[in-house]
């Protein structure tokens, strides 16, 4: 087992007192939503919740923690409490190792714990055994985290269970869905780069990867076209994966080599659909000796832990991942109380985070 993660370490990283950290992790009041988000994200990044789970598995009594006590893995015993199932198929790095998805799940756990509700995480990838798994007594409903296949959603629907999706929707299976404000936030980020003087852009991300990527592309494109900057779908959009960092690095290396061979330049602003892609871009630019942000500005989206610790800290968009999880819980309970009300698509505001990876363009 790795080095023990203490509340004091978390407090030191977020610049708060150990008392404030303890209150936030125990689900107590007196801590603002923004501060709670920072604490839970930092605790997730350091591996605090994994440590709590390991202690439970070993029979030790862990220190109280709202997100951890609600269950962050298989084998959670809910006792007499009503339970919410969290469906997070282990595809495309949608798991508790992810700096994005794990924070959403811990936000769900935090909200459930405050209501004295239990959480059962399911990582099934097919609908075959779903009915057997979704039979705990007092099951309130299901929260889907990330991409869930249509057959699995149809099975949940067939079982008559209330369900809510986070960062995903399926046109064949209507439901409540919780998203970040992807389009508006990407428009704000693109506007920031325009204000810095950039006039040549790449969008790095496969729009077919997720609904969020598609919305971010639309916000990017709309903002540029409103400023009279034409966007070429063939040359200005690079179809990079949201999870395959090594594959993205290889793709970008080939792309830059091809441009160099043809004595062509690359854009001064690389707008990435998420931080994973942006981190790959930083690695390639550093390896090629291209200065960031001197020659190329790079931006991300999501504000995962690595974005601040990168060789050049990333300008990005902070997605309130803990609050996405909390809002999903609220939406599920509303759906359970009012099963016939119209479905809702809920968009949570994001925040632009300005760091060192973006500066004035060469065109300025």
């Amino acid at each position: 087992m790795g080095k023990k993660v203490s509340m004091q370490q978390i407090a030191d990283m977020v610049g708060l007192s150990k008392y404030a950290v303890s209150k936030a992790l125990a689900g107590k009041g007196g801590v603002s939503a923004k501060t709670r988000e920072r604490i839970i994200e930092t605790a997730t990044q350091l591996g605090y919740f994994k440590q709590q789970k390991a202690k439970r598995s070993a029979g030790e009594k862990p220190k109280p923690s709202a997100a951890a006590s609600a269950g962050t893995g298989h084998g959670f015993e809910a006792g007499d409490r009503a339970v919410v199932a969290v469906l997070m198929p282990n595809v495309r790095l949608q798991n508790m190792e992810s700096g994005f998805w794990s924070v959403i799940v811990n936000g769900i756990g935090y909200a459930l714990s405050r209501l004295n509700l239990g959480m059962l995480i399911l990582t099934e990838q097919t609908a075959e055994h779903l009915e057997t798994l979704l039979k705990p007594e007092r099951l309130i409903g299901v929260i889907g985290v990330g991409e869930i296949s249509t057959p699995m959603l149809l099975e949940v629907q067939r079982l008559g269970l209330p369900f809510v999706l986070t960062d995903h929707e399926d046109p064949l299976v209507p439901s409540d869905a919780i998203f970040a404000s992807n389009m508006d936030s990407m428009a704000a980020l693109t506007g920031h780069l325009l204000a810095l003087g950039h006039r040549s852009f790449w969008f790095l991300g496969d729009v077919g990867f997720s609904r969020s990527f598609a919305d971010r592309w639309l916000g990017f494109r709309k903002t540029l076209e409103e400023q009279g900057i034409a966007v070429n779908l063939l040359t200005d959009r690079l179809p990079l994966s949201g999870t395959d960092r090594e594959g993205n690095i290889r793709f970008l290396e080939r792309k830059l080599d091809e441009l160099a061979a043809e004595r062509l330049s690359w854009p001064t602003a690389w707008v990435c659909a998420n931080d994973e892609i942006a981190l790959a871009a930083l690695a390639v630019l550093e390896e090629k000796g291209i200065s960031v942000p001197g020659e190329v500005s790079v931006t991300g989206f999501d504000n995962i832990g690595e974005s601040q610790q990168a060789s050049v800290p990333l300008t990005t968009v902070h997605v309130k991942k803990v609050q996405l999880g909390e809002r999903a819980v609220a939406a599920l309970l509303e759906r359970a109380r009012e099963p016939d009300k119209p479905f809702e698509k809920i968009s949570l505001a994001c925040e632009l985070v300005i760091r060192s990876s973006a500066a004035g363009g060469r065109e300025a």
Side-chain angles (χ1 to χ4, degrees):
M1 182 180 292
K3 188 176 180 181
K4 181 179 177 182
V5 180
S6 67
M7 288 193 185
Q8 187 61 57
Q9 285 177 272
I10 299 169
D12 291 342
M13 280 198 69
V14 296
L16 296 168
S17 69
K18 181 180 175 181
Y19 177 68
V21 170
S22 176
K23 288 182 70 176
L25 294 180
K28 297 179 181 178
V31 180
S32 70
K34 189 171 184 178
T35 298
R36 183 173 68 248
E37 177 107 11
R38 286 173 56 210
I39 290 170
I40 293 178
E41 287 201 18
T42 301
T44 302
Q45 179 186 339
L46 290 174
Y48 177 80
F49 297 120
K50 289 183 188 176
Q51 174 180 284
Q52 299 297 292
K53 179 188 171 185
K55 285 183 177 181
R56 286 194 301 275
S57 299
E60 297 180 39
K61 185 177 179 181
K63 292 182 180 179
S65 160
S69 66
T72 53
H74 294 292
F76 171 67
E77 298 297 335
D80 295 328
R81 292 184 293 175
V83 174
V84 168
V86 174
L87 189 56
M88 185 172 65
N90 190 12
V91 296
R92 302 195 322 182
L93 300 184
Q94 289 176 187
N95 54 47
M96 293 303 289
E97 302 298 318
S98 163
F100 182 80
W101 302 111
S102 62
V103 180
I104 293 176
V105 173
N106 285 331
I108 293 170
Y110 179 91
L112 291 174
S113 179
R114 295 186 71 177
L115 297 168
N116 196 33
L117 300 174
M119 177 168 72
L120 174 69
I121 296 180
L122 303 175
T123 59
E124 289 293 305
Q125 298 181 25
T126 66
E128 184 179 357
H129 304 295
L130 201 56
E131 182 174 1
T132 303
L133 295 169
L134 290 177
K135 280 189 173 179
E137 294 182 3
R138 305 189 68 193
L139 178 64
I140 296 173
V142 177
I143 297 176
V145 177
E147 182 182 358
I148 313 290
S149 71
T150 298
M152 294 191 76
L153 292 177
L154 288 171
E155 180 66 4
V156 173
Q157 185 182 62
R158 185 187 71 79
L159 294 171
L161 294 168
F163 67 98
V164 171
L165 302 179
T166 57
D167 202 51
H168 182 64
E169 64 180 354
D170 190 316
L172 298 179
V173 191
S175 72
D176 299 303
I178 318 294
F179 286 93
S181 58
N182 292 299
M183 193 180 304
D184 290 346
S185 299
M186 182 57 86
L189 180 59
T190 306
H192 172 69
L193 292 167
L194 286 166
L196 290 174
H198 292 279
R199 294 298 179 269
S200 60
F201 294 80
W202 267 347
F203 181 88
L204 287 70
D206 180 359
V207 297
F209 181 79
S210 68
R211 171 61 187 271
S212 292
F213 274 31
D215 284 349
R216 292 168 191 179
W217 157 252
L218 291 175
F220 166 82
R221 180 179 178 179
K222 181 174 181 289
T223 303
L224 292 185
E225 290 180 344
E226 286 176 347
Q227 297 300 314
I229 299 176
V231 179
N232 187 314
L233 299 183
L234 296 178
T235 59
D236 297 340
R237 189 173 73 186
L238 306 184
L240 299 183
S241 163
T243 56
D244 184 4
R245 191 180 302 185
E246 292 304 315
N248 290 339
I249 287 173
R250 291 191 296 271
F251 181 99
L252 288 171
E253 287 174 341
R254 289 194 301 271
K255 186 69 176 178
L256 292 185
D257 289 343
E258 290 169 3
L259 291 174
E262 298 175 18
R263 298 184 181 276
L264 297 174
S265 60
W266 39 81
T268 64
W270 295 14
V271 180
C272 302
N274 71 3
D275 289 344
E276 271 290 332
I277 295 173
L279 292 167
L282 287 178
V284 171
L285 290 166
E286 183 176 5
E287 190 270 331
K288 297 287 186 183
I290 300 169
S291 171
V292 176
E295 298 175 79
V296 173
S297 288
V298 178
T299 61
F301 205 110
D302 289 338
N303 195 31
I304 63 173
E306 279 187 84
S307 66
Q308 187 171 2
Q309 300 162 7
S311 55
V312 182
L314 272 176
T315 289
T316 186
V317 171
H318 177 61
V319 173
K320 298 174 181 178
K321 298 172 278 295
V322 172
Q323 292 178 30
L324 276 174
E326 292 176 325
R327 190 64 186 87
V329 171
L332 180 67
L333 297 179
E334 290 171 18
R335 176 59 54 193
R337 286 192 297 266
E338 301 180 60
D340 297 324
K341 72 172 187 153
F343 291 119
E344 295 180 329
K345 180 180 174 182
I346 300 165
S347 178
L348 299 187
C350 302
E351 297 175 356
L352 188 60
V353 179
I354 307 298
R355 297 197 182 107
S356 308
S357 67
R362 294 195 302 265
E363 300 98 340

